Every structure is written in C-alpha cells, then in structure tokens.
C-alpha cells in the first residue's frame, strides 16, 4: 500500500490524475519500479523463497497470493492434485512451485523446505480423520516440520496455531494446538506463533455454516463468544511477518474488533440472507456420541464431538500476546462484510439491488477472493 501511495503521489505530481480528490485506484501490475528504484509486482524478483504448508486450505490462498504477487518464489507442498490448482495463477510462471508430500514422509518434507528462507505452517484439522488423529496433525506433524526447518537452517518459521490453545483445555483441538506450539518452540526457538480467532471469508466455516441448512443441531444455545476475524486480515498479518524480523519468536493473537456470540452472528446472517435458519439445541451428552459415530462412519466432514466441546468454550485473549495493532493493521468488522459474503444465499426474489451501470460492470473484478 505504501507502494501504491507512492505511485498515486507520483501520478498526482505529474498531473496524470486530473481530480486530486479522486479515490486512488489500486493497480496490480506485473512489475513496477518506484522512484527509489525498488521493484515490486509478480514479475519482479522478490528475493524470498517461501514454503507454505497447508496452502490448499481456506487461509492458504490469502498468504500465497500475497507472496506470489510481490515476486517471491512460493513452494506449495500438496497432497491432492485438484486442491492446489487455484494457487498456480497467483504468481508468474515458475514462481509457484508444487511439491507432492506426505506429512509422515520426512524426505518429502526436506525437499519442500531445503531451498527456502521462510516456512509457514498452516496445517490443521478440525476433526480426526481415518489416517490422522488431531495429535498426528497438530503435534507430530509440527514436530516433523520444525525438525526439517532446523536441519536446513531456515531463517524464519511462522506457525499457525489457534485461539484458546491451552494445554489444559477440555477440547482436544485446543490442547493439541498448545502442544504443537510447545514442540515448535522447543525445536526452533525463534518460531513465530499465530493464533487466529474463528475466521470468516469466502470459504469459511462460520458464516457459511450458519447460512446453510445442514448444520442446525447445536449444543450450547449458540452462546459461545469470540471475536471473528477476516481471513484477509490474517493473510496481511502473515505477509507483514516475513518483512519484519522483529516478529520472530513472538506470539500473535489475531482477532476482530467485536465480540459476538454465535447466536448474534446467526441473527446477522439471517437478516442478510432474508431467511430464517432453524437451530435446534440438543444437550451435549446426546449430541456428542452421535457426532462421534457420524464422524467415523461418513467420509465427508461432519461436526465432530470435539467441535461440540468447543461450542462451550469462549475465546480467551492472552494479554501477553501481540495483536494486529503491533503489525499496524486495523482488523475488519464482521458486520460490514456479511453482505459481501452472503448475498448468494438470498432468494432471487430479493434481488432488488439497483442495476449496475455499464461502467461498474466493466470494472467488476471477477475472482475477487483471490486478489482480495
Ligand atoms: P483448512 O482446513 O481450510 O486447511 C487445512 C490445511 O491443512 C489444508 O491445506 C490441508 O491439506 C492441511 N492438512 C490437514 N491435515 C493434513 C494432513 N494430515 N497432512 C497434510 N496436510 C494436512 O484450515 P484453515 O485454512 O481454515 O486454517 C488454517 C490454520 O488455521 C489451521 O492450522 C487451523 O487449525 C487454524 N485455525 C483456523 C481457524 C478458522 O476459523 N478457520 C481458527 C483458528 C485456527 P489438504 O488440502 O490436503 O487437506
């Protein structure tokens, strides 16, 4: 944005922009060279080689696209061909490199990090799978990655944990996340730890879960409270960390400005989609065993017993952790973005928006979620 500011200033100075009050438009160009002689853009040489584990998930694209478009070489370890395709176009040809890997295959991990100066670990799972328990993913996996990071003398390791990571939590997810943090710091003391609050965005499991019809069984009358955070803001924070060495060894808790209960968010969602979603409360004692059986029997993600446990845990903010303010980022407010993310759930009969002008139509950005 400083770069954009500079460019806008340059244009203003040369009189290229007639109206000084015009809102500066964002330009994402392949390469641009500022008056200081510094180059940026996806065709520039960014200087960093970065591995992003877990890039195929929801948060992954918001950091891969930021790195790739400033000219970093990004290594994306992947398991599934189809899950990684959208990341290819975020950078110039040859700058986003895919490596097939397995979390249990150490040589494949070594190959993924051996040329990198920075490694991000975004790997995480909400529920146990047939092949991986939560501990396998959040503790053993982190251990293997931290070990190769240390072995290949990588300069920076940025590990994404979770809000409420706590060794004594009643939730296995939060417990294993805390164990993972410890393992990472034991092996690589300079690890930067990032604990995001529940995230919202295009591919989230928060707004879309509440707007959909399949997730109507809840356990705590949706009374758990937390500060939802915009995935794009978390992406911005992850990008800042690579540019600022003082973030090494620090712990960041990234959360939005407002504290909500799930019920309050559900109300916002209902208003936005102009529908009433039913939420039936079932006691934890009844719901947990059912969730456990379904989670094991079905091969698609369903609510796990541990996710029900987490419905009873409010977000607790660690006052000793750093936040967005320390990174100079002002986090977005959920209520200001619900329309953006949920308008697709409205029935066509509520499509009562004023018609777009020709100009607006031309400027409309497709795939807004990749560019943010
Ligand atoms: P996603 O579930 O969307 O993505 C998870 C990533 O982890 C995917 O790339 C997935 O790979 C990878 N992964 C999971 N299990 C394994 C495994 N056994 N072996 C290899 N790779 C694996 O997560 P998000 O993007 O939403 O979250 C990113 C991180 O932030 C995670 O660590 C998560 O726990 C944490 N977090 C997320 C919150 C949220 O609200 N979303 C809140 C708090 C923390 P593949 O595509 O191959 O399955």
């Amino acid at each position: 944005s400083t770069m954009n500011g500079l460019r806008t200033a340059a244009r203003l100075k040369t009189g290229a922009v007639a109206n000084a009050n015009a809102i500066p438009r964002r330009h994402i160009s392949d390469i641009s060279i500022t008056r200081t002689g510094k180059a940026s853009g996806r065709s520039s040489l960014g200087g960093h080689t970065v591995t992003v584990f877990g890039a195929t998930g929801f948060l992954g694209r918001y950091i891969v696209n930021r790195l790739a478009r400033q000219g970093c070489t990004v290594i994306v370890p992947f398991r599934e061909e189809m899950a990684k395709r959208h990341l290819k176009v975020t950078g110039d040809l040859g700058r986003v490199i895919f490596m097939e890997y397995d979390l249990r295959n150490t040589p494949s991990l070594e190959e993924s990090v051996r040329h990198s100066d920075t490694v991000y670990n975004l790997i995480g799972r909400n529920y146990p799978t047939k092949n991986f328990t939560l501990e396998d993913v959040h503790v053993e996996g982190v251990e293997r990655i931290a070990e190769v990071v240390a072995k290949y003398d990588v300069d920076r390791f940025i590990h994404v944990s979770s809000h409420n990571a706590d060794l004594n939590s009643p939730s296995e997810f939060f417990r294993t996340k805390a164990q993972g943090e410890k393992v990472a710091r034991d092996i690589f003391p300079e690890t930067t730890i990032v604990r995001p609050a529940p995230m919202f965005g295009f591919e989230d499991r928060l707004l879309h879960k509440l707007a959909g019809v399949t997730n109507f069984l809840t356990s705590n009358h949706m009374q758990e409270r937390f500060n939802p955070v915009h995935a794009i803001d978390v992406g911005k924070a992850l990008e800042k960390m690579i540019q600022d060495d003082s973030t090494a060894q620090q712990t960041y808790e990234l959360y939005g400005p407002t504290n909500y209960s799930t019920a309050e968010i559900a109300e916002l969602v209902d208003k936005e989609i102009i529908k009433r979603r039913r939420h039936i409360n079932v006691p934890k004692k009844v719901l947990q065993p059912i969730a456990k059986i379904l989670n094991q029997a079905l091969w698609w993600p369903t609510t796990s017993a541990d996710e029900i446990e987490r419905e009873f845990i409010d977000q607790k903010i660690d006052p000793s952790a750093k936040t967005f303010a320390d990174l100079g980022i002002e986090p977005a407010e959920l209520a200001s973005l619900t329309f953006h993310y949920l308008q697709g759930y409205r029935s066509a009969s509520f499509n009562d928006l004023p018609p777009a002008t020709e100009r607006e139509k031309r400027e409309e950005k497709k795939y807004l979620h990749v560019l943010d």
Side-chain angles (χ1 to χ4, degrees), residues 54 56-59 79 101 122-123 125 132 177 196 199 205:
T56 50
F58 161 41
L59 177 60
R79 305 193 287 177
Y101 86 117
L122 275 50
I123 295 176
R125 260 295 169 263
F132 291 90
K177 280 289 194 183
M199 292 186 281
R205 284 173 295 270

Side-chain angles (χ1 to χ4, degrees), residues 52-62 77-80 83-84 101-104 121-127 129 131-133 136-138 141 145 159-163 173-174 177 194-200 203-206 229 231 234 310:
V52 185
F53 287 102
T56 50
F58 161 41
L59 177 60
R61 72 201 67 197
Y62 298 109
F78 73 98
R79 305 193 287 177
E80 200 333 281
K84 62 162 171 70
Y101 86 117
D102 186 293
L103 200 48
R104 292 197 172 106
N121 178 27
L122 275 50
I123 295 176
R125 260 295 169 263
N126 261 330
Y127 47 88
T129 61
N131 296 317
F132 291 90
T133 62
D136 290 339
V137 178
H138 298 149
I145 291 174
H159 171 67
V160 179
S161 175
S162 172
H163 63 283
F173 179 89
F174 292 144
K177 280 289 194 183
V194 181
R195 298 184 186 136
M199 292 186 281
F200 65 93
E203 308 83 356
D204 72 10
R205 284 173 295 270
L206 179 60
V229 65
V234 178
R310 272 176 268 157

Side-chain angles (χ1 to χ4, degrees), residues 209-210 215-224 262-263 278-291 303-313:
K209 186 167 154 181
L210 292 169
N215 265 294
F216 59 94
L217 295 182
T218 65
S219 222
N220 185 24
H221 298 275
M222 304 200 290
Q223 287 313 300
E224 67 278 15
T262 306
R278 279 171 68 96
H279 302 283
I280 301 164
N281 202 71
V282 181
K284 176 160 88 168
K285 276 208 194 93
V286 179
L287 197 53
Q288 260 183 338
I290 299 172
T303 302
S304 66
D306 194 65
E307 283 173 278
I308 295 164
E309 192 64 55
R310 272 176 268 157
E311 287 182 13
F312 291 82
I313 306 175

Side-chain angles (χ1 to χ4, degrees), residues 21-37:
N21 294 326
I23 299 165
R25 283 202 37 211
R26 258 182 86 181
H27 287 264
I28 298 173
S29 46
D30 284 350
I31 186 156
S32 57
I33 299 167
T34 60
R35 285 190 285 186
T36 57

Side-chain angles (χ1 to χ4, degrees), residues 314-326:
D314 292 342
Q315 181 184 356
K316 215 174 107 203
I317 288 163
D318 175 356
S320 70
K322 294 193 164 180
T323 65
F324 277 122
D326 298 287

